Amino acid sequence: MLDVAHQAGVSRGTVSRVLNGGYVSVDARDAIEAAIAEVGYVPNTAARNLVMQQSRAVGFIVHEPHALFLEDPNIGSIMLGANEILSQSDYQLVCLIIDSERDTTRVARYLSGGFMDGAIIVSARAHDPITRVVSQLALPTTFVGHPPDLRRLPFVGIDNISSAKAITERLMATGRRRIAMIAAALDRDSGADRLAGFRAALGEKFDPNLVEEVPLYEYSAGVVGMRALLDRDPGIDGVFAASDAVAAGALEALREAGRVVPTDVGVVGFDDSSWALRCHPPLSTVHQPASGLGERAAELVLSQLQGEKPDLSGILLDTPIVWRESA
Amino acid sequence: MLDVAHQAGVSRGTVSRVLNGGYVSVDARDAIEAAIAEVGYVPNTAARNLVMQQSRAVGFIVHEPHALFLEDPNIGSIMLGANEILSQSDYQLVCLIIDSERDTTRVARYLSGGFMDGAIIVSARAHDPITRVVSQLALPTTFVGHPPDLRRLPFVGIDNISSAKAITERLMATGRRRIAMIAAALDRDSGADRLAGFRAALGEKFDPNLVEEVPLYEYSAGVVGMRALLDRDPGIDGVFAASDAVAAGALEALREAGRVVPTDVGVVGFDDSSWALRCHPPLSTVHQPASGLGERAAELVLSQLQGEKPDLSGILLDTPIVWRESA
DNA sequence: GCTTAGTGTGTGCACGTTCACACATTCTCA
DNA sequence: TGAGAATGTGTGAACGTGCACACACTAAGC
């Protein structure tokens, strides 16, 4: 910056004013801009951050990247939605991956070190150490699909209970008598709530024997889960899978077993991901407003950055049911 | 840091030595560590970066995020592979998304501002402005799947020509007579090379009429492309799709048209993504070593960071053929 | 002619670190 | 006993910015 100032025959202060606004004469501005171009000067972000005490960057923190990036079709949309909003306010979205213990400490350091003005945290669980770090840090944060023990932190999400209840009821309305569920990720709100919604829809007809629990929202879990259900009760004529990927796996297992969908068995999923349209037959499912979640999360972080108190009751987005041929 | 020093009854210098190594007495170390815990001190990353002139962060820059994150099953694996290697050397992977003109300037500023020690750039094309920025910046960089005009920059990739040639020859060896190709993304090296490999395999038998060009590696493009090919020549008995997603679309179009795979038509894809296993029938395809690409790219950046001159001839990874039931 | 407001510019301090250097203490060995 | 090495500690100068302040000049109003 001093080089630019000398080159233009002015002082550092005037160069700074050209860059950040303030009273500058036309002559000085022209000379400085020419000097900047000639010297190839680029302001040093670290120095600027240091003195400004802010970085204009918001972290997007992803846990369990193997499950999410490789299996969850929504993560990309959430990220792009958030980027869209942050970009409009000239904030940089910085995606950080936590894939190991080492990553956790490094990311925590990154967040605590004044490197980030805020954070969006995806798919955190109660026991994830980063949630503790963030809540101690008083960093403007929003959770997407918050973990069970953090009711006091701002979040955006969907109402998994009522969405699951609604699609189960819709499935019941097609005249199915024995409806099973492949429940996944019960250690998360989303997983547990989808099961709760299923249970609520069935009411007295709920039969715990017709619920198969699988660990993750995965295709392979869907295959295994469906096989187990058919073993236990060959008379099943309806299935609610906890996600589209699980439903896709279930369709595969049903095909193996010689069942025709939707004639013999009706199948519904959850997410309305690209899976849903590409299954055979196309899946009836709950539409998850993924990019909307990212946008709202980014907006919540930005509003906190402007000093507003966040709404701790959380924001729930609508989840319309999309009815296709699988049920 | 001064607070910690006072609390522990020492000077800033000793605190710094506790954090960064050097001669420190056991008493001083204990007192300082206790003080750090009590004060809740975290070193300021911006200040450290400023004085160190480095950030221990490597950018992972993604273009066309809509196509990549939503359609390309490899991007996640590449990213996780890179993160794995960088994490081992205590570098932070920072994923930056370029989704607009505004994003481009912001990311360029981010990279130029001393915020990043290096960069991994995915799926860049010749005209992408960020490639110009990076090459002017002399920032340690590696391209994954480099753009056509940047032969002078280090990159990792696969040999699309010989891979495409190999799988086409394998398909020919099953006795198919009329083999078509759904070629995609011809404005990239990868797309153009896969077509070149297909052509090389067929030699004199190559018929330009049996090549359908589609813009992107997408499922829907596969559906459209296959329909067009069947319209033009109903006698087709083999298809090489430029990617697994395209192949999945082709399978759908073949099913529509009442063709049985592999009996009537043999289909092969490219990528060995999760699509490949979940198609019906499972796809024969070229295995793309996605996480390996990320790992090599990260290693190349790290070696440049240690002052080594990068190998400008590029690194090509092996792409074994995975033969399944679709051909 | 004096004050006041508006415009334009230069200077010094602060941000929170690391590192080189100076200095103090203890230990080893001729 | 004294020199020299090994170990431990404090201090000041950077790193590259932004901002408050001081100052200079011009124009307008009384």
Side-chain angles (χ1 to χ4, degrees), chain A residues 44-48 50, chain B residues 45-57 91 112-118 139-140 305:
Chain A
N44 182 298
T45 320
R48 179 175 276 172
L50 181 61
Chain B
T45 321
R48 178 175 279 171
N49 289 351
L50 182 61
V51 67
M52 301 285 278
Q53 301 288 74
Q54 57 149 325
S55 62
R56 292 203 84 80
Y91 273 86
S112 344
F115 231 91
M116 230 86 261
D117 291 344
L139 193 73
L305 245 25

Side-chain angles (χ1 to χ4, degrees), chain B residues 108-121:
Chain B
R109 206 171 60 209
Y110 215 75
L111 290 178
S112 344
F115 231 91
M116 230 86 261
D117 291 344
I120 296 171
I121 301 189

Side-chain angles (χ1 to χ4, degrees), chain B residues 2 54 57 59 64 72 103 107 112-113 149 153 162 176 187 224 246 272 275 290 298 302 314 316-317 323-324:
Chain B
L2 205 57
Q54 57 149 325
E64 304 187 340
D72 188 334
D103 287 354
V107 167
S112 344
D149 67 337
L153 291 173
S162 64
R176 313 283 170 180
D187 55 344
V224 173
V246 172
D272 195 23
W275 287 100
L302 288 180
L316 296 177
L317 300 188
W323 207 248
R324 300 200 184 91

Side-chain angles (χ1 to χ4, degrees), chain B residues 161-230:
Chain B
I161 299 181
S162 64
S163 309
K165 181 159 178 283
I167 196 156
T168 307
E169 283 167 350
R170 185 82 161 75
L171 182 59
M172 290 163 72
T174 64
R176 313 283 170 180
R177 317 293 292 159
R178 296 196 62 73
I179 300 184
M181 174 170 183
I182 307 177
L186 291 178
D187 55 344
R188 288 196 207 168
D189 264 16
S190 64
D193 286 356
R194 288 175 200 183
L195 175 56
F198 174 75
R199 183 170 192 152
L202 285 172
E204 292 183 354
K205 293 185 224 156
F206 178 76
D207 177 358
N209 206 38
L210 290 183
V211 174
E212 177 69 18
E213 295 176 12
V214 296
L216 291 173
Y217 296 120
E218 279 178 349
Y219 176 87
S220 56
V223 177
V224 173
M226 192 68 236
R227 283 184 192 144
L229 283 172
L230 287 174

Side-chain angles (χ1 to χ4, degrees), chain A residues 13-99:
Chain A
T14 308
V15 177
S16 174
R17 270 184 290 270
V18 167
L19 296 170
N20 304 305
Y23 295 123
V24 186
S25 68
V26 185
D27 285 358
R29 164 162 277 124
D30 289 349
I32 289 169
E33 278 169 356
I36 286 176
E38 188 171 344
V39 176
Y41 167 76
V42 179
N44 182 298
T45 320
R48 179 175 276 172
N49 289 352
L50 181 61
V51 68
M52 302 286 279
Q53 301 288 70
Q54 56 147 330
S55 62
R56 291 203 85 78
V58 171
F60 186 92
I61 291 135
V62 180
H63 289 87
E64 301 185 342
H66 288 278
L68 280 177
F69 274 112
L70 308 182
E71 294 289 340
D72 187 335
N74 288 318
I75 184 78
S77 296
I78 296 174
M79 195 153 138
L80 292 178
N83 183 58
E84 180 65 28
I85 297 297
L86 292 174
S87 177
Q88 282 169 21
S89 299
D90 203 34
Y91 274 86
Q92 177 66 51
L93 178 84
V94 172
C95 172
L96 307 175
I97 294 177
I98 299 184
D99 192 20

Side-chain angles (χ1 to χ4, degrees), chain A residues 40-319:
Chain A
Y41 167 76
V42 179
N44 182 298
T45 320
R48 179 175 276 172
N49 289 352
L50 181 61
V51 68
M52 302 286 279
Q53 301 288 70
Q54 56 147 330
S55 62
R56 291 203 85 78
V58 171
F60 186 92
I61 291 135
V62 180
H63 289 87
E64 301 185 342
H66 288 278
L68 280 177
F69 274 112
L70 308 182
E71 294 289 340
D72 187 335
N74 288 318
I75 184 78
S77 296
I78 296 174
M79 195 153 138
L80 292 178
N83 183 58
E84 180 65 28
I85 297 297
L86 292 174
S87 177
Q88 282 169 21
S89 299
D90 203 34
Y91 274 86
Q92 177 66 51
L93 178 84
V94 172
C95 172
L96 307 175
I97 294 177
I98 299 184
D99 192 20
S100 64
E101 198 61 41
R102 206 189 300 120
D103 287 353
T104 307
T105 39
R106 198 159 22 70
V107 167
R109 207 170 59 209
Y110 216 75
L111 290 177
S112 346
F115 228 79
M116 231 86 260
D117 290 345
I120 296 171
I121 301 190
V122 180
S123 103
R125 301 198 191 191
H127 56 77
D128 286 331
I130 200 73
T131 58
R132 210 179 336 120
V133 171
V134 166
S135 42
Q136 286 174 351
L137 229 55
L139 192 74
T141 304
T142 302
F143 286 81
V144 178
H146 66 120
D149 65 339
L150 288 176
R151 304 253 172 213
R152 295 296 165 76
L153 291 173
F155 74 95
V156 296
I158 58 170
D159 185 338
N160 282 287
I161 298 182
S162 64
S163 309
K165 182 160 178 283
I167 196 157
T168 306
E169 283 167 351
R170 184 83 160 74
L171 181 60
M172 289 163 73
T174 63
R176 313 282 170 179
R177 317 295 290 158
R178 296 196 63 72
I179 300 184
M181 174 171 184
I182 307 176
L186 290 178
D187 55 345
R188 288 195 205 166
D189 263 18
S190 64
D193 286 356
R194 289 175 198 182
L195 175 55
F198 174 76
R199 184 170 191 152
L202 285 173
E204 292 184 354
K205 293 186 227 154
F206 177 77
D207 177 359
N209 207 39
L210 290 183
V211 173
E212 177 69 19
E213 296 176 12
V214 297
L216 292 172
Y217 296 121
E218 278 179 349
Y219 177 88
S220 56
V223 177
V224 173
M226 191 69 236
R227 281 183 194 147
L229 283 172
L230 287 175
D231 268 1
R232 272 216 295 282
D233 188 339
I236 289 169
D237 63 357
V239 179
F240 170 36
S243 86
D244 289 351
V246 172
L251 287 178
E252 170 63 18
L254 287 166
R255 191 177 298 117
E256 273 175 19
R259 311 299 164 94
V260 178
V261 175
T263 321
D264 300 338
V265 183
V267 177
V268 298
F270 204 110
D271 282 347
D272 196 23
S273 64
S274 54
W275 286 100
L277 264 174
R278 292 162 193 180
C279 285
H280 286 279
L283 275 179
S284 297
T285 188
V286 174
H287 178 75
Q288 175 126 234
S291 64
L293 289 172
E295 290 162 12
R296 287 301 92 66
E299 284 165 6
L300 262 182
V301 169
L302 288 178
S303 78
Q304 291 178 67
L305 246 23
Q306 281 150 19
E308 293 172 31
K309 283 265 169 250
D311 178 5
L312 293 182
S313 63
I315 296 179
L316 295 178
L317 300 188
D318 281 346
T319 51

Side-chain angles (χ1 to χ4, degrees), chain B:
Chain B
M1 187 155 146
L2 205 57
D3 289 349
V4 172
H6 286 154
Q7 177 89 18
V10 296
S11 74
R12 288 161 27 238
T14 309
V15 177
S16 175
R17 272 183 289 269
V18 167
L19 297 170
N20 305 304
Y23 295 124
V24 186
S25 69
V26 184
D27 285 358
R29 163 161 278 125
D30 288 350
I32 289 170
E33 278 169 356
I36 286 176
E38 188 171 345
V39 175
Y41 166 76
V42 179
N44 182 298
T45 321
R48 178 175 279 171
N49 289 351
L50 182 61
V51 67
M52 301 285 278
Q53 301 288 74
Q54 57 149 325
S55 62
R56 292 203 84 80
V58 171
F60 186 90
I61 291 139
V62 180
H63 288 87
E64 304 187 340
H66 288 280
L68 279 177
F69 274 113
L70 308 182
E71 294 290 340
D72 188 334
N74 288 318
I75 183 78
S77 296
I78 296 175
M79 195 153 139
L80 292 178
N83 184 59
E84 180 65 29
I85 297 296
L86 292 174
S87 177
Q88 281 168 19
S89 300
D90 204 34
Y91 273 86
Q92 177 66 52
L93 179 84
V94 172
C95 171
L96 307 174
I97 294 177
I98 298 185
D99 193 18
S100 65
E101 198 60 40
R102 204 190 301 120
D103 287 354
T104 308
T105 38
R106 197 159 24 69
V107 167
R109 206 171 60 209
Y110 215 75
L111 290 178
S112 344
F115 231 91
M116 230 86 261
D117 291 344
I120 296 171
I121 301 189
V122 179
S123 101
R125 300 196 191 194
H127 56 78
D128 287 331
I130 200 74
T131 57
R132 209 177 339 117
V133 171
V134 166
S135 41
Q136 285 173 352
L137 229 56
L139 193 73
T141 303
T142 302
F143 286 80
V144 177
H146 66 121
D149 67 337
L150 288 175
R151 304 256 169 211
R152 294 297 165 76
L153 291 173
F155 74 96
V156 294
I158 58 170
D159 186 339
N160 282 288
I161 299 181
S162 64
S163 309
K165 181 159 178 283
I167 196 156
T168 307
E169 283 167 350
R170 185 82 161 75
L171 182 59
M172 290 163 72
T174 64
R176 313 283 170 180
R177 317 293 292 159
R178 296 196 62 73
I179 300 184
M181 174 170 183
I182 307 177
L186 291 178
D187 55 344
R188 288 196 207 168
D189 264 16
S190 64
D193 286 356
R194 288 175 200 183
L195 175 56
F198 174 75
R199 183 170 192 152
L202 285 172
E204 292 183 354
K205 293 185 224 156
F206 178 76
D207 177 358
N209 206 38
L210 290 183
V211 174
E212 177 69 18
E213 295 176 12
V214 296
L216 291 173
Y217 296 120
E218 279 178 349
Y219 176 87
S220 56
V223 177
V224 173
M226 192 68 236
R227 283 184 192 144
L229 283 172
L230 287 174
D231 269 0
R232 272 216 294 284
D233 188 338
I236 287 168
D237 62 358
V239 179
F240 169 36
S243 85
D244 288 350
V246 172
L251 287 179
E252 171 62 20
L254 287 166
R255 192 177 297 116
E256 273 176 20
R259 311 298 164 96
V260 177
V261 176
T263 321
D264 300 337
V265 183
V267 177
V268 297
F270 203 110
D271 281 347
D272 195 23
S273 64
S274 55
W275 287 100
L277 263 174
R278 293 161 193 181
C279 285
H280 287 280
L283 275 178
S284 297
T285 189
V286 174
H287 178 75
Q288 175 125 236
S291 64
L293 289 171
E295 290 162 12
R296 288 300 92 67
E299 285 165 5
L300 262 182
V301 169
L302 288 180
S303 78
Q304 292 178 67
L305 245 25
Q306 281 151 18
E308 292 173 31
K309 284 263 170 254
D311 178 5
L312 293 181
S313 62
I315 296 179
L316 296 177
L317 300 188
D318 281 346
T319 51
I321 287 178
V322 185
W323 207 248
R324 300 200 184 91
E325 297 158 40
S326 71

